[in-house]
Amino acid sequence: MSSWKQRLKGWFFQRYKFTKQSIFWTLLCVIIFALTLYFMNVMANVASYLSPDNTTTPKLSDRLFEAIPSIKLLWLTDLADALMFVPTIILVLTHYRPLYLLCKVLLTWALCNLMRITTVAITSFPDPRDGCMHSLGEFFTTFTLHRCGDCMFSGHTVIFVISALVWTGHGYHRFPRRLRWLAWISLIFVWCLCIGSAIIVIANRAHYTVDVLVAFYVAGGNFYIWTYIFHRYIESKGRLRDMTHPWGDGPDPRPHVQERDRRKREAQGVTDPEKYTMTTNSARVRETPMQSVVIDTPVEPEEGPSSIRAHPHDMVDSGTRSRAYDPFSPQGSSNTGYQHDSPKDGSQLTLPHGQLVIRTQNEHPTSNPAQLPGTQFTTAVDNAK
């Protein structure tokens, strides 16, 4: 295999990790988006069918209609959609986390469609554009653009705003630090194109100004709602790692993350990235609150009575389950279901021989205490002769 094919293969599989989990959630997001898009088209047909004839009903008064001259170039509106949408799709598909970002964009757009389903036909407006066509009543089979009465709110503007926000949140970091000035120029261009496209929509009289403004508010709010949900309940919880970290558990390949880690290493005086990773992991373990777990391992003493004493503050609270582990056995033993009630008088507890009081961070399926991260053993052996 030639070198460029190997590089292309490595580039692809560093970004795309097709597992049952990633395929399921991606397809689910696509299905949700497709359903909302279809039913939004149905409700737009209903709105067009119910909208009053703008040749007999006066149009609504609009301040920007008075300031912006009217044009009849609807193709410019669709061209603006393409200029915003196509580069955004390329950015999403070439991103370091393409499936993750694709789901975020689709769910944002789907939520906007759901809101438009509830608003587009609830109030009928006379269309602001002369010569528009009304829907004839075939609500479920008619697919067209620029219908009469398809006003609240602007679907074209939703595409403009989502595309601009994707470039703002995920395209800015694609530029190296030395080319950060070019990133700012790109963002200014994207937002100028977004606002200019919205002005083209108003100039074509495809929507009232309020339709465009509401689309800005709805698309922006929904984008940051999903940004919060994805960060708070997926990334920070370590879920869907096949989508959030398709490169695996190795170093994060995103340039802005590497630059951030490099600055942290320099601030802490650590030059070795592996040593820095071990230091940060140890800090996380120390910051994690510990909880006590009693492991019951009765073992017959070889000679003389012996016992293990533990202070009550090292014991678990009343009703906590414990797991058995035999430190004298190569495989160990596991036994769940033992109930322990710790006394409240502050006296010491005398446990049978072989019991261990283990303080650990959380429950793990393994029965070997050596495999529990952040584990501390508290034992006191009294060998009576």
Side-chain angles (χ1 to χ4, degrees):
M1 184 181 292
S2 60
S3 60
W4 69 269
K5 289 184 178 180
Q6 293 178 349
R7 290 196 300 268
L8 180 61
K9 183 179 179 180
W11 176 92
F12 182 84
F13 287 106
Q14 190 183 43
R15 287 162 169 78
Y16 290 89
K17 188 174 182 180
F18 295 110
T19 60
K20 291 182 179 180
Q21 183 188 69
S22 61
I23 293 174
F24 170 78
W25 287 107
T26 303
L27 289 178
L28 181 62
C29 293
V30 171
I31 292 172
I32 292 173
F33 168 72
L35 289 175
T36 57
L37 186 64
Y38 173 74
F39 285 106
M40 186 196 68
N41 180 78
V42 172
M43 295 307 296
N45 289 331
V46 174
S48 177
Y49 181 78
L50 297 176
S51 66
D53 188 357
N54 60 1
T55 60
T56 59
T57 304
K59 303 179 182 66
L60 302 180
S61 179
D62 193 298
R63 301 289 81 79
L64 286 188
F65 282 8
E66 301 171 2
I68 301 176
S70 176
I71 61 175
K72 295 183 178 180
L73 300 172
L74 280 177
W75 60 270
L76 273 179
T77 305
D78 301 328
L79 178 62
D81 261 343
L83 290 176
M84 293 291 295
F85 187 66
V86 173
T88 303
I89 290 297
I90 296 175
L91 171 65
V92 170
L93 296 180
T94 58
H95 195 262
Y96 288 98
R97 304 186 294 180
L99 298 180
Y100 177 81
L101 184 55
L102 178 63
C103 290
K104 180 179 175 180
V105 171
L106 291 178
L107 290 176
T108 301
W109 199 348
L111 187 56
C112 293
N113 292 341
L114 184 62
M115 292 184 174
R116 197 164 190 266
I117 288 172
T118 62
T119 60
V120 69
I122 200 69
T123 302
S124 297
F125 297 93
D127 200 272
R129 181 170 55 89
D130 295 328
C132 62
M133 300 296 294
H134 281 268
S135 177
L136 302 178
E138 298 177 355
F139 304 142
F140 294 94
T141 57
T142 301
F143 301 91
T144 184
L145 296 174
H146 309 297
R147 291 156 289 204
C148 285
D150 185 8
C151 295
M152 180 59 67
F153 44 86
S154 174
H156 288 81
T157 308
V158 166
I159 298 176
F160 303 153
V161 176
I162 291 178
S163 300
L165 289 173
V166 169
W167 277 96
T168 303
H170 301 277
Y172 174 81
H173 299 298
R174 300 295 296 274
F175 292 86
R177 190 174 181 81
R178 65 181 182 276
L179 298 178
R180 198 54 58 86
W181 59 272
L182 183 59
W184 280 107
I185 293 176
S186 301
L187 289 184
I188 293 172
F189 173 77
V190 166
W191 280 104
C192 287
L193 183 59
C194 175
I195 297 173
S197 301
I199 294 175
I200 290 175
V201 171
I202 297 173
N204 273 298
R205 304 299 188 257
H207 284 279
Y208 292 103
T209 304
V210 67
D211 303 336
V212 174
L213 291 177
V214 170
F216 267 91
Y217 307 148
V218 169
N222 289 341
F223 182 83
Y224 285 108
I225 285 173
W226 281 111
T227 299
Y228 173 78
I229 292 175
F230 273 55
H231 177 75
R232 176 67 177 82
Y233 297 102
I234 296 179
E235 288 191 68
S236 62
K237 300 290 186 180
R239 297 165 178 163
L240 303 181
R241 288 190 61 84
D242 292 341
M243 301 172 67
T244 60
H245 294 75
W247 52 83
D249 296 328
D252 197 318
R254 290 174 290 176
H256 69 284
V257 177
Q258 294 179 352
E259 180 66 20
R260 181 189 64 195
D261 292 342
R262 185 187 64 80
R263 291 197 299 269
K264 287 183 178 179
R265 291 196 301 269
E266 291 178 353
Q268 297 178 9
V270 180
T271 57
D272 187 1
E274 295 184 0
K275 184 178 179 181
Y276 171 75
T277 304
M278 294 174 61
T279 304
T280 53
N281 290 338
S282 301
R284 291 194 197 98
V285 170
R286 287 195 300 269
E287 293 172 359
T288 305
M290 309 283 284
Q291 67 178 7
S292 300
V293 177
V294 177
I295 293 184
D296 187 13
T297 57
V299 179
E300 292 296 332
E302 295 181 359
E303 60 179 15
S306 67
S307 63
I308 295 178
R309 295 188 179 90
H311 197 270
H313 67 73
D314 287 327
M315 303 301 294
V316 293
D317 294 333
S318 177
T320 302
R321 289 186 178 274
S322 62
R323 295 175 298 168
Y325 170 72
D326 187 358
F328 303 98
S329 172
Q331 293 81 13
S333 60
S334 179
N335 181 22
T336 59
Y338 174 78
Q339 302 290 328
H340 170 74
D341 295 333
S342 59
K344 306 300 182 181
D345 57 359
S347 60
Q348 288 190 343
L349 296 178
T350 301
L351 306 179
H353 178 82
Q355 277 196 344
L356 298 178
V357 179
I358 294 182
R359 296 171 61 83
T360 181
Q361 295 172 358
N362 46 26
E363 289 295 330
H364 292 266
T366 179
S367 61
N368 189 350
Q371 297 178 5
L372 300 178
T375 302
Q376 299 176 358
F377 293 89
T378 305
T379 61
V381 181
D382 180 17
N383 294 319
K385 299 298 182 180

